[in-house]
Amino acid sequence: MMTKLLLTTAALVFATFSLKGQAFEQITFPVTIDGKELKNPFAGGLNNPQFSNGDINRDGKNELVIFDRDGAKVLVFVNKGQEGEPEYHYDPELSSIFPEMRNFMLLRDYNNNGIPDIFTYSQIPGVPGIQVYTGVVEDGSLSFEFLELDQPFLNVLAFRDGSGLANINVLSIDIPDIIDVDGDGDLDVVVFSPAGGTVQYYRNRTVEEGREPHEFIFRLEDHCWGKFFEEDFSGEIFLSDDPNSCASWNFEGSAEPRHAGSTIALFDEQGNGLYDALIGDLATDEIAFLRNGGTKTNAFMVDVEINYPPYDVPVDLPSFVAPFIVDVTGDGRNDLIVSPNGAEGFGETKEVAWFYQNVGTGDEYVFELQQKDFLVGDMIDVGSRSHVAVVDVDGDGLLDLVVGTMGLYVSPQERDASLYWYRNVGTAEEPEFQLEDTDLFGMNQFTSSARAFAPVFYDMTGNGAKDVIVGDNRGRLFFGENVNGPGEPIQVNTWEYPWMDIDVGQFARPTVADLNGDGLPDLIVGEQNANNVDNMRCGNVNYFQNIGTPGNPEFASDEFEAPNNPCLAGVLTVPGNQFRGFSAPSFYESDEGLIMLVGGLDGKLKMYRDVNPAPGHVQDAETEFFGEINVGSFSQAVLEDLNGNGLLEVVVANQRGGLEIFSTDLPAKEPVSVEEFYQAAFSPELFPNPAGDFYTLSFPESGFSKAVISVYDLTGKKVERHTQASPIQTFSTKNLDSGIYFISIRDSGGQSINLKLVVQK
């Protein structure tokens, strides 16, 4: 009953993430920031959102659908508020029905059947253009089918070009508009030309020619729609004085053909039946408005406003913005949302959705800014490229979340990176998280030279208290020794950098596990690129064997130097058409063995069990698509039982700077309280001491798990290794000379303690 209550209230379980059998369910927990409870804390964040409307759940009302260019992730939000007072809630089940896409996605209804269709960027390598998915409803559920165009050409929208066909060219960084420009009942295309500067109007003639909507008969109707020209670099717009001629770009030599990179959205501001235009440009942080003074068949821009809207708060959003005309409030009137159109965090990463409500009367548009962080303000979002760890920071026995980040955008050359601490202020069974610290352990002091902080917590010094290791974008590691003891708050007074002189190249993502079974914690570090051995790409997860002693870790810095391994298990997260992989490993010690999860550039997770660190060993993943989880790009995950139900959750970080949580069917280790653990499981008795021919290690039965016993002499040389499988076990000293020895004890959960043994014969 407790588990059911937890899953229906505290965890606020969403519907199944996918209809496939092995998919995990996406869940959420309460999160509070500055006294405000977030509505969608684990929706995963936003960086470059593109907005559309569509009735996805087929209830007769439109949802707000987001395609985030940064990671190519679709998020569907259902409006559970009242008309004019929207309250959007993320729906992962509806989000999962969309196909994989890239660069842009616009929902439209091309066949006028009331079902949303998709217009998106071409998936054909080397062919810029537009492809279409047709919305289909069966048994009340929406799905999308790829539209195979019946034309003697590539499967992209094409126009008649002389006697043949040519693709409607959309550059990968541009966003077109798909809209019925001439009011004839079919959808046209307006898009900036490949060279930039002018807008091309492709008129859809399927209605005029009596063809079916899916046949898409286009003609390039106007090479210079609106007769304006946008100048290179400055984004300055020139208007023509002739409705039948394009504006010249040779104004006193100040204008020239421009670089490409523009977005466009059309709307009828004055309700006069003519489409005006909003334009974003690669060179500016503003939106430009152009008023149409022509006709439906011949657009002619007669006025331009560079800083729109001039009567309210003009858009000022770094960098390269995109406008979207959608109904946000659910009142049937279209509003305006403006967002950055970059990728991989190059642009504003926090206030990424400027929502302007349409407060005009009649058919006229008047926009008033409501908020700059629409939707994203109700999510955990630390900028871009988050990296999560689950650990008890304050020693209260509850698991917290610590999130590293590439950093919040400050300028093209600067990011504001740190570690965020979300403290569990709930219970072990019903966790609730509260943002407690935006600069945990003072990592922000290093942000001028390092970013992309990737934390992991592990007892490296053998005192039972967890220390801190943090990777960065330069491929190096910070080490912070925890100066407090077991069960106390983690405190780091000084940082070592670069720790052990380890440098894996770029974007170090560390984790820790004892892979070779010697009782010492080893380092496993993910990185951006792949490593090569004998001119063969062999993997991009690095294994650094601990060659130190209990409590004194030591690592050889060169991953190619034995006993290190630059290609652990042959794990490679580089997609087939990419050069980078951004591997991100993590480990969980289960009762069935050591589980390794590896995230990477493709946004998915691989799972391995009991990885062998030996050089040259190649191991297949148990699953290449763990839980059918795909967070878009730059995935990284950790396993932990967050709600004490005996099953593991997986917390997944991503490129968009947020987190997502999924329940799994993997059993967790038996939970042990902090008091029980340190007073029982790790309070072993060693007797007799001094020892003669034997010694015994005795653990209380409560909380005991299998332990590895390593014996070292005073020089630090390991002289014996044993496995203790029962609470009481006796060991012979026949191979030990008289003297002093150190015994390192590490259980299967990674907790450790060191004892001194005196042998007298």
Side-chain angles (χ1 to χ4, degrees), residues 197-421:
T198 60
V199 171
Q200 296 176 331
Y201 164 39
Y202 295 90
R203 184 184 177 193
N204 189 343
R205 295 182 54 82
T206 56
V207 169
E208 288 85 345
E209 298 190 12
R211 308 290 284 272
E212 294 297 321
H214 66 270
E215 296 184 78
F216 286 112
I217 308 300
F218 286 101
R219 184 175 70 185
L220 179 53
E221 191 78 8
D222 196 337
H223 289 270
C224 187
W225 183 82
K227 307 304 181 289
F228 66 93
F229 177 83
E230 189 180 22
E231 193 262 342
D232 195 2
F233 298 115
S234 70
E236 185 176 359
I237 294 174
F238 298 95
L239 304 180
S240 173
D241 56 6
D242 183 351
N244 297 308
S245 299
C246 193
S248 171
W249 53 83
N250 292 317
F251 290 87
E252 299 179 357
S254 63
E256 57 188 58
R258 58 181 295 284
H259 67 295
S262 297
T263 60
I264 186 169
L266 305 188
F267 74 115
D268 181 5
E269 188 195 45
Q270 296 180 331
N272 60 4
L274 300 177
Y275 277 114
D276 310 299
L278 293 174
I279 292 173
D281 182 79
L282 185 64
T284 68
D285 300 338
E286 298 85 26
I287 286 290
F289 169 76
L290 293 100
R291 177 166 288 110
N292 189 351
T295 66
K296 281 189 176 182
T297 57
N298 185 32
F300 177 54
M301 299 306 176
V302 296
D303 190 19
V304 58
E305 176 59 56
I306 297 298
N307 294 298
Y308 188 81
Y311 51 80
D312 196 66
V313 180
V315 173
D316 184 11
L317 181 58
S319 58
F320 185 17
V321 294
F324 300 94
I325 303 295
V326 290
D327 181 7
V328 174
T329 60
D331 61 0
R333 298 171 56 82
N334 281 335
D335 308 293
L336 170 66
I337 302 180
V338 181
S339 62
N341 190 46
E344 295 194 11
F346 293 101
E348 174 63 39
T349 54
K350 189 63 175 177
E351 295 180 339
V352 298
W354 288 36
F355 163 42
Y356 292 83
Q357 184 175 351
N358 180 3
V359 297
T361 59
D363 293 331
E364 292 187 349
Y365 285 78
V366 177
F367 295 124
E368 286 187 359
L369 180 65
Q370 304 300 307
Q371 62 183 112
K372 298 180 180 181
D373 60 349
F374 176 60
L375 291 182
V376 72
D378 274 298
M379 306 177 194
I380 289 177
D381 191 318
V382 296
S384 65
R385 208 166 299 179
S386 51
H387 189 109
V388 65
V390 179
V391 65
D392 179 10
V393 173
D394 55 352
D396 64 355
L398 301 177
L399 293 173
D400 309 312
L401 302 176
V402 176
V403 187
T405 173
M406 180 72 175
L408 296 171
Y409 176 88
V410 178
S411 71
Q413 295 77 35
E414 186 179 357
R415 300 291 186 276
D416 189 19
S418 62
L419 297 181
Y420 290 70
W421 171 27

Side-chain angles (χ1 to χ4, degrees), residues 395 397 487 672-683:
V672 180
S673 71
V674 173
E675 181 178 0
E676 288 175 330
F677 183 83
Y678 290 110
Q679 292 185 1
F682 261 73
S683 297

